[in-house]
């Protein structure tokens, strides 16, 4: 079966000195979204991007900006990222005490509402939150760095969430983030994911165009 999916290159692995050029490359190569990894050195060990860079991306691409907040108390920054041009804002279930309120805050700024869960976070939080979500992000690595290995049991987790969404007749999308490569992308899509984040598989020594082609071909 040929399943359709959206590709969301993560700019964490892009060349920040030539970000405009890299955004142009993924756009031309047919990427569907730009995945922006925001890290604060507290929720995750790494520090990366803030609203200023999101605003710069907004001026450099027509692709929707899929902003993944890996920060503590994300509720404090939702408006800043929405003002900067985020089209979807995803928060981690593990990062905010009043998740229901935080999801509502995202809705209130009129952007897509996303909820992420780490590899061992019980999925029942996703089930409970589904009616409020445009996107459920199943982390397939521990967040913080690009270039890590895909955690295999994530496939079952994707399938579980996909079944819930279909049983409930909801339109929520399923995104997978971490370790997506040509050698596993097909099984990830078959498990039910429809937005695939890829950082190191897109931005590496080969051409971005070829890498994106290869990822798409691998699903066929
Ligand atoms: C990990 C980030 C990912 C990461 C993916 O914390 O959320 O988006 O950049 O990188 P790869 O595709 O290299 O695993
Ligand atoms: Zn991410």
């Amino acid at each position: 079966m040929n399943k359709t999916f959206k590709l969301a290159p993560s700019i964490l692995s892009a060349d920040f000195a030539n970000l405009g050029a890299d955004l142009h490359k993924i756009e031309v190569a047919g990427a569907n979204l730009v995945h922006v990894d925001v890290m604060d050195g507290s929720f995750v060990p790494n520090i990366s991007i803030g609203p200023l860079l999101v605003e710069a991306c907004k001026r450099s691409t027509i692709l929707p900006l899929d902003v993944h907040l890996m920060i503590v108390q994300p509720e404090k920054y939702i408006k800043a990222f929405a003002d900067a041009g985020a089209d979807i804002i995803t928060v981690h279930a593990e990062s905010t005490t009043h998740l229901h309120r935080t999801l509502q805050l995202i809705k209130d700024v009129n952007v897509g509402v996303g909820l992420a869960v780490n590899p061992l976070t019980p999925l029942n939080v996703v089930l409970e939150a589904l009616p409020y979500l445009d996107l459920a992000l199943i982390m397939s690595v521990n967040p913080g760095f690009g270039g890590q290995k895909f955690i295999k049991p994530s496939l079952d987790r994707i399938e579980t969430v996909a079944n819930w969404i279909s049983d409930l007749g909801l339109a929520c999308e399923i995104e997978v983030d971490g370790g997506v490569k040509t050698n596993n992308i097909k099984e990830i899509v078959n498990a039910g994911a429809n937005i695939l984040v890829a950082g190191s598989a897109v931005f590496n020594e080969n051409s971005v165009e070829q890498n994106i082609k290869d990822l798409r071909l691998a699903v066929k």
Side-chain angles (χ1 to χ4, degrees):
M1 193 187 4
N2 253 350
K3 295 205 180 178
T4 55
F5 68 96
K6 298 179 191 168
L7 196 62
S10 162
I11 57 165
L12 193 62
S13 297
D15 176 2
F16 280 21
N18 292 292
L19 193 53
D22 274 358
L23 287 169
H24 183 68
K25 281 184 199 165
I26 61 169
E27 206 176 291
V28 170
N32 304 97
L33 301 154
V34 178
H35 187 80
V36 184
D37 285 310
V38 177
M39 304 177 179
D40 65 351
S42 191
F43 180 67
V44 291
N46 205 358
I47 300 179
S48 61
I49 290 165
L52 257 182
L53 210 92
V54 171
E55 194 270 328
C57 290
K58 197 66 187 175
R59 283 186 279 113
S60 316
T61 182
I62 55 164
L63 293 176
L65 301 182
D66 167 32
V67 176
H68 177 194
L69 298 184
M70 288 164 275
I71 62 178
V72 296
Q73 297 187 309
E75 58 277 6
K76 287 186 181 171
Y77 298 97
I78 285 162
K79 190 173 179 310
F81 282 102
D83 288 348
D87 294 280
I88 302 168
I89 296 179
T90 297
V91 295
H92 270 260
E94 307 85 359
S95 71
T96 179
T97 308
H98 304 287
L99 179 58
H100 182 276
R101 180 183 292 148
T102 302
L103 296 176
Q104 189 58 51
L105 285 174
I106 303 176
K107 182 118 196 119
D108 290 346
V109 291
N110 285 318
V111 300
V113 181
L115 174 65
V117 280
N118 284 336
L120 281 186
T121 297
L123 283 178
N124 57 354
V125 66
V126 176
L127 178 59
E128 299 275 351
L130 270 183
Y132 309 102
L133 302 183
D134 299 298
L135 180 155
L137 169 49
I138 309 299
M139 289 304 300
S140 43
V141 296
N142 291 297
F145 303 95
Q148 303 181 79
K149 198 170 172 292
F150 184 85
I151 297 171
K152 217 84 205 260
S154 308
L155 288 172
D156 289 339
R157 290 165 62 81
I158 297 162
E159 215 173 310
T160 300
V161 175
N163 287 334
W164 287 338
I165 290 171
S166 112
D167 290 350
L168 294 167
L170 296 170
C172 180
E173 304 199 86
I174 302 181
E175 182 172 56
V176 174
D177 187 3
V180 175
K181 306 278 176 199
T182 49
N183 65 7
N184 60 12
I185 190 165
K186 190 172 183 159
E187 50 183 348
I188 300 170
V189 170
N190 284 339
N194 73 310
I195 303 180
L196 284 282
V197 176
S200 49
V202 168
F203 298 103
N204 54 36
E205 59 284 355
N206 303 323
S207 89
V208 163
E209 192 189 359
Q210 191 58 48
N211 288 335
I212 288 186
K213 245 188 215 158
D214 290 346
L215 285 165
R216 292 219 183 269
L217 259 178
V219 179
K220 291 236 159 80

